Amino acid sequence: MLYSRIAGTGSYLPEQILTNADLARRVDTSDEWIVSRTGIHSRHIAAPDEMTSDLACKASLAALESAGVAASEIDLIVVATSTPDMIFPSAACILQDKLGVHGFPAFDVQAVCAGFAYALATADQFVRGGMAKTALVVGAEVFSRILDWNDRRTCVLFGDGAGAVVLKASDEPGIIMTKLKADGRYRDILATPGGVANGEVVGTPFLHMDGQAVFRFAVKALAELASETLDAAGMTAADLDWLVPHQANVRIIESTAKHLHLSMDKVILTLAHHGNTSAASIPLALDEAARAGKFKRGEHLMLEGIGGGFAWGSALLRW
């Protein structure tokens, strides 16, 4: 049986760091207010000339180096992003060009903060089906450009960054199980409801979020999804070694860990210094932990993310 395994990880964060103290000089907020409600201390902000594909390219090169794979070996690119460089072509096609390769499938997946789970599940199916042998899966975002910097409810939450993994075909299990879900009935509680028509912005181009509604939905959905994923794989929470969650809110993460009976020292947390980087948050956390040597061969990891749509997804894998 053919599987896909993570052969390498990479990440990139823009140089500019925006602290809570910096934000407190711009809007009516404070470090204590932000930390107590979210767990965030700082976040990275892309430079004016940095595009999503630039962040993705730097993370991809790091992942390729980690995997010991040349760009010429890639035969699939899937980029998860809600903030592409332009309407089209896709960030994946632009990334393909920046990596100096061509001639194979490259496309974007848009599931907001669940984007990386969706992209990873998609690439896994390509590899399992024999349609790809070496896939590059990227989550990259510049959410700073869709934030209303006068709205303290949202501008304190998000940051920019990119993370990437290289998936290779293997006879040994790597990705064991993925599950994806969506429910468009909740589309209004987390959205950027703007568009472009006739050369003008129609609607609002800024992110809108009903924070309490998002929190309530996320806590329940992620707990249920974790159980369903383990059940489908014939495993229990006792078999799990690590949780690598989407980095949105520390209280949501703590709730998921409690449901899985995992102590917080088995949960990868980068929220404090990354903020919520949407589709980039899981691969950023994965790379930071991998490079710190936290994961051991044969350990089981649960990746989970939830975002606007609502869309949510998970991946259970063996390291």
Side-chain angles (χ1 to χ4, degrees):
M1 187 173 179
L2 199 59
Y3 299 93
S4 67
R5 288 188 63 89
I6 293 178
T9 64
S11 59
Y12 172 74
L13 291 162
E15 289 185 13
Q16 182 187 351
I17 297 174
L18 186 67
T19 67
N20 291 347
D22 295 328
L23 281 168
R25 289 190 284 269
R26 300 173 63 166
V27 294
D28 181 18
T29 191
S30 67
D31 178 68
E32 188 278 331
W33 190 91
I34 298 169
V35 173
S36 65
R37 287 162 176 78
T38 68
I40 300 169
H41 291 267
S42 63
R43 69 288 293 148
H44 292 251
I45 304 296
D49 61 347
E50 276 187 312
M51 306 301 288
T52 295
S53 64
D54 294 322
L55 276 58
C57 187
K58 291 178 180 178
S60 297
L61 291 172
L64 290 167
E65 182 181 9
S66 169
V69 168
S72 58
E73 297 177 59
I74 302 169
D75 52 11
L76 171 68
I77 295 176
V78 186
V79 174
T81 187
S82 299
T83 54
D85 296 15
M86 57 190 73
I87 295 174
F88 66 83
S90 67
C93 280
I94 298 170
L95 172 61
Q96 188 186 54
D97 180 45
K98 289 182 176 180
L99 291 173
V101 292
H102 62 274
F104 55 83
F107 55 89
D108 289 356
V109 169
Q110 208 276 53
V112 201
C113 303
F116 186 75
Y118 269 65
L120 192 66
T122 301
D124 176 54
Q125 291 302 311
F126 268 78
V127 174
R128 285 175 180 258
M131 295 178 65
K133 294 181 179 178
T134 305
L136 178 63
V137 186
V138 187
E141 301 282 17
V142 284
F143 255 55
S144 60
R145 291 175 191 157
I146 58 171
L147 299 177
D148 178 353
W149 289 98
N150 296 312
D151 181 2
R152 73 169 188 169
R153 296 168 302 174
T154 56
C155 73
V156 303
L157 301 177
F158 296 91
D160 303 335
V165 302
V166 174
L167 286 185
K168 287 189 69 69
S170 173
D171 294 329
E172 297 181 49
I175 297 179
I176 299 168
M177 176 66 58
T178 60
K179 274 196 171 292
L180 305 176
K181 296 195 174 191
D183 193 333
R185 292 175 298 176
Y186 298 91
R187 61 192 175 92
D188 293 330
I189 65 176
L190 177 56
T192 303
V196 176
N198 303 313
E200 296 182 354
V201 174
V202 178
T204 174
F206 296 127
L207 183 146
H208 161 77
M209 182 174 68
D210 180 341
Q212 290 187 344
V214 170
F215 181 86
R216 288 193 298 269
F217 188 95
V219 165
K220 184 174 185 292
L222 290 174
E224 291 176 351
L225 182 64
S227 294
E228 289 177 20
T229 306
L230 288 165
D231 288 346
M235 297 170 62
T236 69
D239 298 312
L240 204 57
D241 297 293
W242 294 95
L243 175 65
V244 188
H246 166 51
Q247 308 286 312
N249 181 295
V250 70
R251 290 183 294 166
I252 295 174
I253 295 170
E254 287 170 346
S255 175
T256 306
K258 183 178 180 180
H259 176 79
L260 292 169
H261 307 291
L262 275 179
S263 64
M264 286 302 292
D265 61 357
K266 287 295 184 180
V267 178
I268 305 303
L269 279 175
T270 59
L271 178 68
H273 54 285
H274 289 178
N276 182 345
T277 54
S278 189
S281 78
I282 291 175
L284 275 167
L286 190 69
D287 181 56
E288 183 170 301
R291 290 178 185 270
K294 291 192 174 184
F295 307 139
K296 302 296 186 290
R297 179 80 170 180
E299 289 186 327
H300 291 106
L301 283 61
M302 173 77 75
L303 282 54
E304 274 199 317
I306 186 166
F310 259 106
W312 61 108
S314 65
L316 177 64
L317 60 93
R318 185 178 300 162
W319 194 250

